[in-house]
Amino acid sequence: ATITSRIGVLMLGDIGIPDDTKQKAEILDFSLGGIIHEESTSNFLLRVKNISLHHFNAKPRLVLQPLFGQEKSVLLEEKYVFPGKVRRWNRLLQLETNTIGFYKVSIRVSTGHGQQEIGNTFFIAFPLTRVGLVLITLLLAIGMYRKRKRITSALHVLIKG
């Protein structure tokens, strides 16, 4: 009798019409692996929890919005999220950041019937090694220009003896 009632509860637990006005999901974690991005690849993590009584098919879409320019969108794979369970998207993501600047990143998880859960974060695209090399080269050029008389006399002594 206890086995029959447990199976009956599982079968009848999902019967009914889902309420489309209630919130179905909750974004637990959304990150891109840091605030400053030097490279165009990033470790992407998204965790979504189903807080309703019915399962749904989660369809996340990542939207990159630069401060100036056109926004870009990346569609991620769909996954079923069962009641009370958490689904995870974790992968290396190729960010198309062509310019240095601030970016707003939005994740929009579609839960069906036009409902979406939205999460936002920000990051800065700044290639530290490239900018560092340019600054060092620029400082060396300025130093050589300021000490050009000493450098020419030292070269003259080296060459002529």
Side-chain angles (χ1 to χ4, degrees), residues 120-160:
N120 296 315
T121 188
F122 297 91
F123 75 89
I124 301 169
F126 191 73
L128 293 173
T129 55
R130 292 181 193 163
V131 172
L133 288 174
V134 169
L135 284 176
I136 289 172
T137 306
L138 186 64
L139 288 174
L140 285 174
I142 290 172
M144 289 177 67
Y145 178 73
R146 293 182 76 198
K147 305 289 183 179
R148 65 185 179 274
K149 289 183 182 178
R150 283 188 177 181
I151 292 172
T152 54
S153 63
L155 286 175
H156 184 67
V157 168
L158 280 174
I159 294 172
K160 300 239 175 168

Side-chain angles (χ1 to χ4, degrees), residues 83-124:
K85 300 295 180 184
V86 177
R87 284 291 181 174
R88 167 186 226 137
W89 287 262
N90 190 4
R91 67 180 215 182
L92 283 175
L93 191 65
Q94 183 73 25
L95 301 174
E96 296 181 11
T97 55
N98 298 330
T99 60
I100 297 173
F102 294 98
Y103 286 84
K104 177 184 176 186
V105 182
S106 300
I107 188 74
R108 298 175 183 160
V109 180
S110 173
T111 58
H113 301 291
Q115 288 186 341
Q116 289 184 346
E117 291 298 318
I118 299 173
N120 296 315
T121 188
F122 297 91
F123 75 89
I124 301 169

Side-chain angles (χ1 to χ4, degrees), residues 15 20 22 24 34 39 48 51 57 63 70-71 82 117 121 140 150-151:
I15 291 180
D20 292 335
K22 289 188 178 179
K24 291 182 180 180
E39 300 175 2
V48 176
I51 57 174
N57 193 8
V63 179
Q70 190 175 18
E71 70 179 33
F82 294 103
E117 291 298 318
T121 188
L140 285 174
R150 283 188 177 181
I151 292 172

Side-chain angles (χ1 to χ4, degrees), residues 10-122:
L10 289 175
M11 291 175 59
L12 296 175
D14 200 33
I15 291 180
I17 300 171
D19 189 8
D20 292 335
T21 59
K22 289 188 178 179
Q23 183 181 10
K24 291 182 180 180
E26 178 181 9
I27 296 175
L28 297 178
D29 193 10
F30 169 52
S31 66
L32 286 172
I35 296 175
I36 298 177
H37 290 272
E38 186 173 350
E39 300 175 2
S40 61
T41 58
S42 176
N43 189 14
F44 171 76
L45 174 66
L46 171 67
R47 291 177 52 224
V48 176
K49 181 177 183 179
N50 186 345
I51 57 174
S52 72
L53 295 176
H54 301 278
H55 73 278
F56 62 87
N57 193 8
K59 301 172 189 172
R61 187 178 73 172
L62 189 71
V63 179
L64 288 169
Q65 299 171 332
L67 193 59
F68 302 106
Q70 190 175 18
E71 70 179 33
K72 296 173 185 166
S73 174
V74 177
L75 291 174
L76 301 171
E77 65 270 8
E78 300 178 17
K79 292 185 180 181
Y80 281 104
V81 185
F82 294 103
K85 300 295 180 184
V86 177
R87 284 291 181 174
R88 167 186 226 137
W89 287 262
N90 190 4
R91 67 180 215 182
L92 283 175
L93 191 65
Q94 183 73 25
L95 301 174
E96 296 181 11
T97 55
N98 298 330
T99 60
I100 297 173
F102 294 98
Y103 286 84
K104 177 184 176 186
V105 182
S106 300
I107 188 74
R108 298 175 183 160
V109 180
S110 173
T111 58
H113 301 291
Q115 288 186 341
Q116 289 184 346
E117 291 298 318
I118 299 173
N120 296 315
T121 188
F122 297 91

